[in-house]
Amino acid sequence: MTSDLLAPLDLAFWNIESAQHPMHLGALGVFVAHSPTAGAHAADLLAARAAAVPGLRMRIRDVWEPLAPLAFGSATREPAPDFEPLDHVRLHAPTADFHAVAGRLMERPLLRGRPPWEAHVLPGEDGVSFAVLFKFHHALADGLRALMLAAAIMDPMDMPEPRPRPAEPPRGLFPDVRKLPGLVRGTLSDVGRALDIGTSVARATLGVRSSPALTSQPTGTRRTAGVILDLDEVHRVRKSVGGTVNDVLIAVVAGALRRWLDERGDGSHGVAPRALIPVSKRRPRTAHPQGNRLSGYLIRLPVDDPDPLGRLRTVRTAMDRNKDAGPNRGAGAVALLADHVPPLGHRLGGPVVGQAARLLFDILVTSVPLPSLGLKLGGCPLAEVYPFAPLARGQALAVAVSTYRGRVHYGLVADAEAVPDLDLLARALSEEVETLTAACGS
């Protein structure tokens, strides 16, 4: 294992983190237990297998060497010399509420002096189930990479191997002079694109009414919830109305927010929050394990539209418009601006950028890929899996969604003090699918 500099977006995630806004991804998997001791056995397996996974041994170390001016203020991903798997895998006391424990665990930032990941095993009080909460820092892994790392310590399964890509030459301190003309042209093009994205961000902040329910003062508290939907019902809606499964899942969020705001008395009239829809620029079969490659689409969720099919049409139109423009343009591509900031700029400006997330979007709605094959741990099948996204500063709610074995799993993360009624939003998601299905005559 060798060390490498963090990619610009990884470095941004590393530097915008604060104690009240940790930048880790999460996933809560619920397993069918074959015995009351299955959870303890799973914890032993995870610790034993983690030692053999190189990616789980990687820590992040800040770079302050003055002899490397282009890397000064950056960070490297490198092997931890004192890696101890038992520091990362913890067996908890039995619980009757996996999400209650997961929320408290999601509050805690990962320790920065060691490999930034954790696995928490939660035995169920019923003795017939247990859960595992995985946490990976966003600077260590994006959704796809986190999936690969978690799958590596599950029971062996036949997964397609990514095709190796040609090794990139090491980055020197100064560019090759023979490449300067092309670099200049590329830089000018990048500057133009950065200005275009900046302009789009400014336009996106105009004339939008959000809801106080989607914003909060930082409290550092977390609450999670999960919802399972039938993927066949989502497909029936898609086939009836058109568009994509993702369009339907985003429209479900818009409708659920409308129900939730009205039920809690905040009101949905005129509310059109900006949703950031991350888009991976990594191709799974050619993906190298290191580095976040993300852009995004920005859309206004039609929360104020009383017609469920009208909401879906609005989402579909907005997503089609974003796809026509591509992931390299528009306000949602703001993550790409990380490539234009030097390492020291990320270091000094990270706290400011973290506080500015609320100005760019109101809610994150992200999709996390999962394999179609069934996963097991210690012979116990994975029955449910809820992805959790980081919660940006000033925002009260983030939504992640995955499809697994014919079912859609929504994972909700909220500021526990700002959203004490997260279970009501979870229920609204289920109700919205029923409403859409009825509206389609299915």
Side-chain angles (χ1 to χ4, degrees):
M1 294 185 292
T2 59
S3 63
D4 65 292
L5 286 174
L6 293 189
L9 190 53
D10 296 347
L11 188 60
F13 288 138
W14 188 244
N15 284 301
I16 65 177
E17 181 174 63
S18 67
Q20 294 179 320
H21 286 86
M23 289 301 299
H24 52 251
L25 310 170
L28 181 68
V30 180
F31 297 80
V32 177
H34 294 324
S35 72
T37 61
H41 179 55
D44 291 339
L45 284 176
L46 292 174
R49 292 171 179 175
V53 180
L56 295 178
R57 302 175 64 91
M58 305 299 283
R59 69 175 181 179
I60 295 175
R61 184 181 65 84
D62 295 331
V63 175
W64 293 109
E65 286 85 353
L67 296 180
L70 296 187
F72 189 75
S74 185
T76 61
R77 192 184 289 105
E78 62 181 32
D82 54 351
F83 174 67
E84 175 50 65
L86 292 177
D87 290 338
H88 300 263
V89 179
R90 180 182 174 188
L91 177 64
H92 293 256
T95 178
D97 190 340
F98 295 138
H99 278 287
V101 179
R104 292 193 295 270
L105 292 172
M106 287 294 289
E107 294 177 3
R108 305 176 186 174
L110 295 164
L111 294 180
R112 293 170 78 93
R114 64 189 191 190
W117 69 274
E118 293 174 351
H120 297 269
V121 181
L122 315 176
E125 282 187 353
D126 55 13
V128 299
S129 64
F130 68 89
V132 179
L133 174 67
F134 288 103
K135 294 167 57 178
F136 295 96
H137 199 286
H138 217 330
L140 177 72
D142 58 8
L144 178 60
R145 174 62 173 160
L147 168 64
M148 295 170 62
L149 290 173
I153 49 179
M154 304 286 277
D155 291 355
M157 59 181 294
D158 296 327
M159 290 186 68
E161 293 290 333
R163 298 174 183 172
R165 68 176 186 178
E168 295 183 0
R171 285 179 285 179
L173 297 181
F174 301 99
D176 187 336
V177 294
R178 294 170 297 181
K179 299 180 179 180
L180 283 177
L183 289 173
V184 171
R185 288 194 298 270
T187 299
L188 291 176
S189 176
D190 288 347
V191 170
R193 185 173 65 178
L195 291 174
D196 178 64
I197 294 171
T199 302
S200 298
V201 170
R203 286 199 301 264
T205 62
L206 300 175
V208 180
R209 177 174 177 253
S210 184
S211 168
L214 298 179
T215 60
S216 72
Q217 294 299 318
T219 70
T221 60
R222 293 293 180 270
R223 186 185 303 274
T224 74
V227 182
I228 297 177
L229 306 178
D230 187 340
L231 184 57
D232 286 341
E233 290 190 3
V234 176
H235 276 299
R236 281 195 288 271
V237 174
R238 177 190 62 81
K239 291 177 181 178
S240 175
V241 180
T244 68
V245 166
N246 201 41
D247 294 342
V248 178
L249 297 179
I250 295 171
V252 167
V253 173
L257 287 174
R258 177 183 175 83
R259 292 171 180 271
W260 176 61
L261 292 174
D262 287 343
E263 186 171 350
R264 69 187 340 234
D266 290 332
S268 58
H269 179 70
V271 174
R274 297 157 299 175
L276 179 65
I277 317 294
V279 177
S280 176
K281 299 189 66 181
R282 183 200 301 277
R283 290 179 296 175
R285 295 191 64 85
T286 59
H288 190 270
Q290 311 296 355
N292 278 278
R293 294 294 301 159
L294 291 173
S295 180
Y297 297 143
L298 195 68
I299 71 170
R300 298 185 185 184
L301 295 180
V303 171
D304 59 344
D305 189 341
D307 178 16
L309 295 183
R311 291 193 293 267
L312 178 51
R313 285 191 293 268
T314 299
V315 168
R316 179 185 175 186
T317 299
M319 290 298 290
D320 286 345
R321 186 183 307 117
N322 276 306
K323 292 172 187 175
D324 288 342
N328 295 328
R329 301 178 66 86
V334 66
L336 298 178
L337 296 180
D339 294 336
H340 305 280
V341 179
L344 194 57
H346 283 293
R347 179 76 59 178
L348 299 176
V352 176
V353 173
Q355 295 179 23
R358 179 177 169 182
L359 301 177
L360 304 176
F361 60 96
D362 302 300
I363 183 173
L364 179 73
V365 183
T366 184
S367 177
V368 181
L370 288 177
S372 58
L373 301 174
L375 296 171
K376 294 183 179 181
L377 180 57
C380 299
L382 176 64
E384 305 168 19
V385 56
Y386 304 100
F388 298 137
L391 195 59
R393 178 181 292 273
Q395 296 177 342
L397 177 67
V399 180
V401 58
S402 290
T403 57
Y404 177 69
R405 298 184 69 78
R407 300 198 296 179
V408 177
H409 294 73
Y410 279 95
L412 309 178
V413 176
D415 184 289
E417 294 188 19
V419 188
D421 56 349
L422 190 61
D423 57 324
L424 297 181
L425 178 59
R427 186 181 68 192
L429 287 165
S430 298
E431 294 172 346
E432 181 63 15
V433 172
E434 295 175 0
T435 298
L436 274 170
T437 303
C440 292
S442 303

